[in-house]
Amino acid sequence: LKRHDFYDYWGKEEKNIKVISIVCMIILSILSIVIFLLIETVENLKNIEMPLVYIAGSLKLIYKYLYGVVILSSIFTTAISAS
């Protein structure tokens, strides 16, 4: 690699990083707003331990099980990374 090729490569890489960061920020912001709006629509969530599971179960039963799978996979990946 010549010197200018090296800097040209990293310049393109930096542009990709910026684009990916902006896209991820937009996706996370949208998901956060959706979760907040879901929680705001349901009353009496103070006594519920897992409000999103309650909301998913109230929509359709399949959503409750799908969210359960997401939670179990999160616990599994946390246990693997901790050991």
Side-chain angles (χ1 to χ4, degrees):
L1 285 174
K2 295 180 182 178
R3 184 178 175 120
H4 61 83
D5 291 337
F6 178 77
Y7 289 112
D8 187 43
Y9 172 78
W10 284 107
K12 291 178 184 176
E13 185 74 21
E14 186 175 323
K15 182 180 178 185
N16 290 340
I17 290 171
K18 288 179 183 178
V19 170
I20 291 170
S21 298
I22 291 170
V23 170
C24 288
M25 180 194 65
I26 291 170
I27 291 171
L28 287 175
S29 298
I30 291 171
L31 288 174
S32 298
I33 291 169
V34 167
I35 290 172
F36 176 76
L37 292 175
L38 279 173
I39 289 175
E40 284 294 312
T41 59
V42 178
E43 295 179 15
N44 299 327
L45 286 179
K46 293 179 183 177
N47 298 329
I48 299 173
E49 291 183 18
M50 299 181 75
L52 289 179
V53 174
Y54 176 78
I55 293 169
S58 67
L59 296 174
K60 284 190 179 179
L61 191 60
I62 188 72
Y63 294 143
K64 184 177 182 178
Y65 290 118
L66 286 174
Y67 196 72
V69 169
V70 168
I71 290 174
L72 287 176
S73 63
S74 299
I75 292 170
F76 182 70
T77 55
T78 302
I80 288 175
S81 67
S83 61

